[in-house]
Amino acid sequence: MGGGGRERLRILVLGSGAREHAIAWWLLGEAAVAEVAVLPGNDGLRAAGLTTLPGPAEEPARVVAAARDWGAQLVVVGPEAPLAAGVADALVAEGIPCLGPGRAAARIESSKVWARLFMARHGIPSPAFATAESPEEVERWTASHRPPYVIKADGLAAGKGVLLAATPAEALDQARRLLAGALGAAGRRLVLEEYLEGEELSVFALADGRRHLLLGAARDYKRLGEGDRGPNTGGMGAVCPVPRVDHALLERVEREIVRPALEGLAEEGAPFRGFLYAGLMLTPRGPRVLEFNARLGDPESQALLPLLAAEGAAGLLPAGFAGWGPLLLAAARGELPPGPAVAVPASGRWAVATVLAAPGYPEAPRLDLPVRGLERIPPAGSGGDREPPPASLLFHAATRRGEDGLWRTAGGRLLTAVGVGPTLASARERSQALLAGLDLEGGLWRRDVGLLPAPGRPDAG
């Protein structure tokens, strides 16, 4: 089905977090989409009345069987683990369109060592770096570079693989722990990087292996505590759009970073079909790549997608496309239409996404704690709340609803509360109002999401 097709789509989303809840909500409200299912999904999706399918999302054969049995016409991959496991390759081999890159292209996220060497080969602006597989190599790097230091595990580490060190001794200690297996095989090779100062920015593009379309930018809040203090996390909040980020900057990011990356992957025999996420630091020397991800961000998606939903009919979609679902299918088939490479929401709406995490997150989140008040807030998607775009949305992740109807903690990041409004302040107020109505003893959320750092302020790498 191309852009002008009339067939209504059945779309399967892989994953179980708030990002996948947001993707399902985004697509389900479209006239061009007949049904959306999520594998494996979560209790919040089920409470909203959305379809979920059982089974792990990281086992290619089982995902292929589930997609075929359910009649999926498109599979959208949410998290990175299925991509690294080769799920997209297996689906494509069986003739099922999949929006998500194959394992070779997904190395741009699944191996930090491979990604840094790839960026160097293609001249993509990046911090100075070295790779290390022994404490001796780490000592040589710290002896020739000034602190602080950024230390990254090579493999996927669920948001725990980036460490900062203030001194050579601290860097060596952290490197020894990783090399000794603190993160399993993910830390057996390391990337050592120059520490960059500036403002972080996340930019998202939809790619079909030949063409691409920049969808927008968001800023996430990686540190656990307010004022960007505490350990790095998977993300405690996001804001979209980002003040001080204009169309000219996005065009520069497309020209200097996104386009060279996608062209480089194609040249190396690994064309990228899916969402490319460029995590950047805006430095006085220009944007520099902190990391690439091979999928949408979490929690950035929860802020970006409500704005795309609102803007779809307002000119962001290429001519002839009845919705985002058909456009994603076109990307999965390598059939994005020619046109401008940058399309971003521009109606003046803002979205602020704030994450609620369990006490003990990120190291040891406490499980099975009651989240009182959650029963009074319908999960996003309940009752078809897509039109008109709501002012507030609640996307579930690691929550569990017991037989008594009470919601409980089931992991680290539990929920994302999203506020949408005509001003940044109104969006922030609506996001916080949702969380203020919940009672979780020791629950963690940042009250400063939506308050942006001053230009040039140092931030986490």
Side-chain angles (χ1 to χ4, degrees):
M1 174 181 157
R6 299 296 181 187
E7 184 182 4
R8 298 184 72 216
L9 289 169
R10 290 170 63 85
I11 301 176
L12 176 62
V13 178
L14 301 184
S16 62
R19 169 185 47 211
E20 288 74 42
H21 190 167
I23 294 171
W25 169 85
W26 176 44
L27 296 173
L28 190 59
E30 295 195 329
V33 176
E35 190 170 1
V36 177
V38 185
L39 186 160
N42 58 49
D43 277 4
L45 285 157
R46 287 182 278 275
L50 276 70
T51 301
T52 60
L53 303 180
E58 301 82 12
E59 295 186 14
R62 295 181 66 176
V63 172
V64 168
R68 186 186 294 115
D69 292 346
W70 186 71
Q73 294 162 295
L74 170 66
V75 176
V76 178
V77 183
E80 61 276 21
L83 300 171
V87 166
D89 304 274
L91 287 163
V92 171
E94 293 297 321
I96 301 172
C98 177
L99 190 69
R103 183 156 41 187
R107 286 181 298 175
I108 201 165
E109 176 174 8
S110 61
S111 172
K112 299 295 184 292
V113 170
W114 188 91
R116 277 290 175 232
L117 295 173
F118 167 82
M119 286 180 245
R121 288 196 295 275
H122 294 277
I124 297 171
S126 307
F129 76 99
T131 63
E133 298 184 35
S134 70
E136 292 75 20
E137 290 174 300
V138 176
E139 284 187 295
R140 284 197 291 273
W141 165 263
T142 55
S144 58
H145 292 78
R146 298 170 59 184
Y149 308 104
V150 181
I151 304 164
K152 294 182 177 179
D154 175 46
L156 298 177
K160 299 178 181 177
V162 180
L163 303 172
L164 301 179
T167 67
E170 186 180 348
L172 184 59
D173 180 62
Q174 293 183 345
R176 286 186 190 278
R177 287 195 310 106
L178 294 176
L179 291 168
L183 293 176
R188 298 292 167 76
R189 291 196 301 173
L190 305 176
V191 175
L192 313 171
E193 291 182 4
E194 169 194 14
Y195 179 85
L196 298 179
E197 294 185 354
E199 186 175 345
E200 286 195 50
L201 185 70
S202 304
V203 177
F204 300 94
L206 175 66
D208 76 348
R210 297 178 304 148
R211 299 189 178 98
H212 60 273
L213 182 66
L214 225 64
L215 297 176
R219 184 187 192 272
D220 73 340
Y221 294 72
K222 282 192 172 65
R223 299 292 191 95
L224 180 66
E226 293 168 17
D228 281 331
R229 301 178 189 279
N232 272 342
T233 70
M236 295 299 291
V239 58
C240 181
V242 183
R244 303 191 292 267
V245 173
D246 57 17
H247 201 81
L249 175 58
L250 292 177
E251 287 185 327
R252 180 178 181 182
V253 170
E254 189 278 330
R255 183 175 63 252
E256 297 181 2
I257 292 171
V258 173
R259 191 190 313 168
L262 293 170
E263 290 179 349
L265 287 167
E267 289 171 9
E268 297 193 11
F272 188 102
R273 292 181 180 178
F275 293 108
L276 182 69
Y277 164 146
L280 310 175
M281 186 69 82
L282 304 180
T283 77
R285 295 173 290 164
R288 296 290 185 269
V289 178
L290 298 176
E291 63 176 355
F292 281 116
N293 290 330
R295 35 76 188 180
L296 285 172
D298 182 349
E300 295 97 324
S301 301
Q302 293 91 295
L304 173 66
L305 297 184
L307 300 187
L308 292 183
E311 300 288 337
L316 282 186
L317 285 167
F321 282 85
W324 292 102
L327 189 68
L328 301 190
L329 178 61
R333 288 175 167 170
E335 298 173 351
L336 280 180
V342 178
V344 296
S347 71
R349 288 188 178 89
W350 296 80
V352 171
T354 309
V355 170
L356 173 66
Y361 177 77
E363 291 300 327
R366 294 179 59 190
L367 307 180
D368 209 34
L369 299 178
V371 187
R372 295 186 173 85
L374 192 51
E375 70 279 1
R376 295 193 295 269
I377 306 175
S382 304
D385 59 1
R386 165 77 182 274
E387 296 293 342
S392 58
L393 292 156
L394 194 66
F395 296 116
H396 281 245
T399 56
R400 179 180 65 80
R401 187 167 63 170
E403 293 181 356
D404 57 0
L406 187 62
W407 288 93
R408 294 179 179 277
T409 62
R413 292 190 297 166
L414 308 172
L415 305 160
T416 304
V418 180
V420 180
T423 65
L424 179 56
S426 65
R428 181 168 170 265
E429 180 180 343
R430 289 166 179 172
S431 171
Q432 294 195 2
L434 279 180
L435 295 182
L438 302 180
D439 179 12
L440 169 62
E441 185 177 358
L444 304 169
W445 59 282
R446 287 182 57 166
R447 275 72 174 173
D448 64 347
V449 174
L451 299 178
L452 301 175
R457 171 182 166 176
D459 207 339

